[in-house]
Amino acid sequence: MASSRVAFRPELFLSLQSSSSKRGGVVRSQRVSMASTIPSSKVENQKKPYKPPREVHVQVTHSMPPQKIEIFKSLEDWADDNILVHLKPVEKCWQPQDFLPDPSSEGFYEQVNELRERAKEIPDDYYVCLVGDMVTEEALPTYQTMLNTLDGVRDETGASLTSWATWTRAWTAEENRHGDLLNKYLYLCGRVDMKPIEKTIQYLIGSGMDPMTENSPYLGFIYTSFQERATFISHGNTARHAKEYGDVNLAQICGIIASDEKRHETAYTKIVEKLFEIDPDGTILAFADMMRKKISMPAHLMYDGQDDSLFQNFSSVAQRLGVYTAKDYANILEFLVDRWKVDQLTGLSGDSSKAQDYICTLAPRIRRLGERAHGKAKQASTKSFSWIHGREVQL
Ligand SMILES: [Fe+2]
Ligand SMILES: [Fe+2]
């Protein structure tokens, strides 16, 4: 297959985002402003009634050798016994309503007022992080699509009974509660401007995402292992901060979401652990490949119709508040190296052994780069966010 690799860009670690500097550029559609001199193929494009607001240009597909699909078919029973057990039966799951004022109860208005009083104690920059997290969760259709791009594990019919497809649908159904709960909380709290937030969600789902997983379940499950842990950490941190601001209810909301993410992390890391057992060379190469490309955040194409650097600005606030930082990125990598006992793998081929060296020495290097960038960081600037009625927060 055509593999157009993008060079490793260490500076990308520092801002925790991907955006325009890699994979050939993420750009805003120029549809409206294009001149009449453009080639005819582009004129065709112009006639499209809708173009994604954020576009990714260099995309690699189907990089896994087709014979490896058999590995995933042969793991069907294993996944039944080892992965589906990490799903919770619906009857035992929490639902958003468990943590929100009950609209059918007499005390609804009072409960809403209490929620709003508590919200007044929380600063704007916290809400920027919470909105960014909510928008990320709300782009769930994109993530289900992403899982269904993966060769050998996709849901072929939409109701397929394979273990992989069963997992993906039930995982999506569990995840759906996250955006739902955060969205309803933010709607009630009175601290944010819902319309630009809703526009951000619509823009984001319209743009999709490019995790650079190339239809390969090796790359895909490494990505999801990393990402579930990243969300576990960030929701855990917003829970901790809410508690510090005295809002135990909001802490519970973020905490309960974090606990789902942890369970999902357990499942995805188990899949990759199994791949290391069956195909250590293929798996270590995939791990190194993902780390070289950097794990891009799922909402990296975020846009609200106004701010071209919305994702970077949101990431800066999250970094400053300690909700999700460059250090967390390095910690997750280290956690996964440890979880999969990468340093203990033996008998690897030449390239794989180089990949092993690369991975095992990467976390300290990322930390050093992060510290250096932190030292060089210019004086704090502020940025206005449409999500909070244009009020400014420090980046
Ligand atoms: Fe989630
Ligand atoms: Fe998740």
Side-chain angles (χ1 to χ4, degrees):
M1 41 70 56
S3 180
S4 38
R5 296 284 179 228
V6 182
F8 172 53
R9 303 283 300 265
E11 72 274 16
L12 293 174
F13 285 113
L14 309 178
S15 53
L16 296 170
Q17 43 75 34
S18 48
S19 99
S20 59
S21 46
K22 64 176 177 175
R23 67 185 89 166
V26 177
V27 296
R28 178 104 48 251
S29 245
Q30 298 281 315
R31 182 161 58 101
V32 180
S33 60
M34 273 181 179
S36 57
T37 51
I38 53 173
S40 56
S41 63
K42 288 199 177 158
V43 173
E44 277 303 303
N45 277 342
Q46 268 194 306
K47 285 180 190 157
K48 281 188 190 170
Y50 181 85
K51 284 188 80 184
R54 307 279 278 175
E55 297 171 14
V56 172
H57 292 293
V58 178
Q59 301 183 30
V60 180
T61 55
H62 302 285
S63 62
M64 181 177 75
Q67 62 273 22
K68 290 206 177 185
I69 288 175
E70 291 311 314
I71 293 178
F72 295 88
K73 293 217 170 108
S74 73
L75 285 175
E76 272 289 324
D77 289 344
W78 174 86
D80 248 346
D81 298 337
N82 293 277
I83 299 305
L84 299 189
V85 292
H86 294 289
L87 293 165
K88 260 195 175 174
V90 175
E91 295 303 328
K92 289 190 175 162
C93 277
W94 59 268
Q95 296 299 335
Q97 188 53 63
D98 300 334
F99 301 92
L100 293 164
D102 177 0
S104 65
S105 90
E106 284 284 321
F108 177 65
Y109 292 110
E110 205 183 305
Q111 291 164 33
V112 171
N113 277 333
E114 283 166 14
L115 184 153
R116 292 163 75 94
E117 283 305 312
R118 288 192 301 269
K120 283 180 185 161
E121 303 301 316
I122 301 175
D124 274 342
D125 49 13
Y126 178 90
Y127 276 108
V128 167
C129 292
L130 200 63
V131 169
D133 287 353
M134 180 269 260
V135 166
T136 306
E137 294 286 353
E138 287 285 58
L140 183 60
T142 299
Y143 316 138
Q144 186 174 20
T145 299
M146 178 253 165
L147 285 167
N148 283 328
T149 65
L150 303 178
D151 295 333
V153 298
R154 74 172 55 85
D155 185 345
E156 297 281 356
T157 64
S160 159
L161 296 177
T162 66
S163 331
W164 299 113
T166 304
W167 164 266
T168 295
R169 287 193 306 274
W171 171 85
T172 305
E174 285 194 1
E175 285 282 340
N176 189 52
R177 290 134 66 243
H178 301 174
D180 193 359
L181 174 55
L182 290 173
N183 195 326
K184 283 175 177 147
Y185 166 81
L186 285 164
Y187 171 79
L188 290 173
C189 80
R191 291 291 307 279
V192 299
D193 190 352
M194 286 307 291
K195 183 147 181 189
I197 295 172
E198 287 159 343
K199 274 169 65 178
T200 309
I201 296 168
Q202 186 172 357
Y203 272 125
L204 182 58
I205 297 174
S207 290
M209 76 186 284
D210 179 22
M212 297 191 278
T213 45
E214 307 173 6
N215 309 96
S216 158
Y218 285 77
L219 300 175
F221 290 136
I222 288 163
Y223 180 85
T224 53
S225 296
F226 195 103
Q227 218 27 260
E228 293 288 358
R229 186 152 183 92
T231 48
F232 161 65
I233 289 169
S234 62
H235 291 306
N237 284 328
T238 51
R240 186 168 51 81
H241 290 156
K243 205 173 162 197
E244 284 162 14
Y245 296 126
D247 194 336
V248 180
N249 283 59
L250 180 55
Q252 239 189 336
I253 286 175
C254 300
I256 198 78
I257 296 173
S259 73
D260 273 6
E261 311 291 17
K262 180 77 200 159
R263 196 157 40 78
H264 295 160
E265 172 210 300
T266 305
Y268 285 121
T269 53
K270 226 172 170 183
I271 297 172
V272 178
E273 180 186 39
K274 188 71 181 168
L275 292 176
F276 266 114
E277 191 187 305
I278 298 172
D279 179 12
D281 284 298
T283 312
I284 193 86
L285 289 172
F287 192 10
D289 184 29
M290 278 320 291
M291 295 317 300
R292 281 201 183 90
K293 292 185 292 197
K294 189 193 169 287
I295 306 285
S296 63
M297 294 297 119
H300 66 105
L301 299 178
M302 188 184 276
Y303 181 54
D304 62 353
Q306 301 174 37
D307 182 359
D308 277 331
S309 307
L310 180 61
F311 183 73
Q312 289 88 326
N313 292 329
F314 153 62
S315 299
S316 300
V317 178
Q319 164 94 18
R320 186 176 58 76
L321 259 60
V323 167
Y324 186 72
T325 67
K327 221 187 215 172
D328 290 320
Y329 189 98
N331 290 347
I332 296 170
L333 166 59
E334 212 155 61
F335 169 87
L336 294 175
V337 167
D338 194 53
R339 171 70 184 79
W340 296 324
K341 301 184 173 63
V342 176
D343 57 337
Q344 292 167 36
L345 291 172
T346 51
L348 295 171
S349 72
D351 282 352
S352 311
S353 147
K354 271 185 211 149
Q356 181 186 31
D357 286 346
Y358 166 71
I359 290 167
C360 291
T361 55
L362 185 57
R365 275 183 284 146
I366 294 170
R367 275 201 200 94
R368 270 201 304 279
L369 282 169
E371 278 157 23
R372 216 177 298 161
H374 195 68
K376 276 188 200 161
K378 52 179 191 272
Q379 281 301 310
S381 55
T382 59
K383 180 77 199 168
S384 109
F385 283 85
S386 66
W387 299 340
I388 49 169
H389 297 276
R391 291 192 298 273
E392 299 214 334
V393 303
Q394 200 182 317
L395 294 184

